[in-house]
Amino acid sequence: MIEYRAYQPQDLAAVMGLFRETVHTVCCEDYSQKELEAWAPDEMDEASWGTSLLRHDALTAWKDGELVGFADLDGPEYFDRLYVSSRAQRQGVAKGLAERLEQRAKELGAKKIEVHASRTAKGFFLHRGYRLIRANQVERCGVILENFLMEKEL
């Protein structure tokens, strides 16, 4: 059974590790090695990540004491991150995180929610009722990455 709870500062190392592991395993068929390294490099800014997660409505998902996913809202209308471990794919973790954060967005008064979805996550968000607004390019460490601006009415 998956346990969902609010992010806590002691979760930071596990969250950052899950992020890097997920990008490099789950997204590897959709992005080149160069893109993956730019997106989730070996060296990540721990202080920046910690500050960001504390400022956002961040949620973690746990199974048998192991972090299997996390997601966060930046304000009521922006779904910032959603990552699920390669060991927990297709087990409802992403759905559970998304449902809880979309409900939180509604509680905060949002009428819609936006996300910049990766190539890997685009289908998941389309399945959840998000609509594609446009393809987007973002620069990370000198590398251009493609993602997709999507939105959903709440």
Side-chain angles (χ1 to χ4, degrees):
M1 176 139 101
I2 306 299
E3 174 194 346
Y4 298 93
R5 65 171 170 80
Y7 167 80
Q8 299 170 12
Q10 62 265 30
D11 301 334
L12 181 59
V15 165
M16 290 176 65
L18 183 140
F19 164 75
R20 189 161 197 295
E21 179 266 332
T22 300
V23 168
H24 284 270
T25 58
V26 176
C27 303
C28 67
E29 292 186 21
D30 299 311
Y31 292 89
S32 71
Q33 188 60 38
K34 185 177 176 180
E35 291 170 318
L36 297 172
E37 284 300 328
W39 183 1
D42 288 334
E43 300 296 321
M44 295 174 18
D45 185 344
E46 188 174 315
S48 177
W49 269 78
T51 299
S52 172
L53 289 163
L54 286 173
R55 287 184 178 161
H56 295 182
D57 277 302
L59 189 60
T60 57
W62 301 81
K63 183 176 182 182
D64 300 326
E66 176 187 358
L67 180 69
V68 293
F70 75 94
D72 61 324
L73 286 176
D74 181 6
E77 294 184 346
Y78 187 67
F79 201 139
D80 192 10
R81 292 170 282 216
L82 172 62
Y83 292 90
V84 175
S85 169
S86 62
R87 296 176 304 282
Q89 294 289 307
R90 304 199 185 287
Q91 296 178 24
V93 177
K95 179 183 176 186
L97 288 164
E99 286 174 348
R100 285 162 175 81
L101 287 185
E102 289 166 1
Q103 181 58 41
R104 177 69 178 139
K106 284 182 190 178
E107 292 167 3
L108 292 170
K111 302 294 184 217
K112 68 174 183 165
I113 190 167
E114 292 184 340
V115 66
H116 283 92
S118 68
R119 292 175 188 150
T120 310
K122 181 181 166 190
F124 170 81
F125 284 104
L126 286 170
H127 184 75
R128 290 202 53 75
Y130 287 71
R131 66 182 180 95
L132 178 63
I133 304 299
R134 70 174 177 273
N136 189 48
Q137 293 186 335
V138 62
E139 185 268 331
R140 294 278 187 269
C141 303
V143 176
I144 301 298
L145 301 171
E146 180 182 53
N147 63 26
F148 302 90
L149 176 61
M150 304 176 79
E151 74 176 17
K152 177 181 181 177
E153 300 295 322
L154 295 176

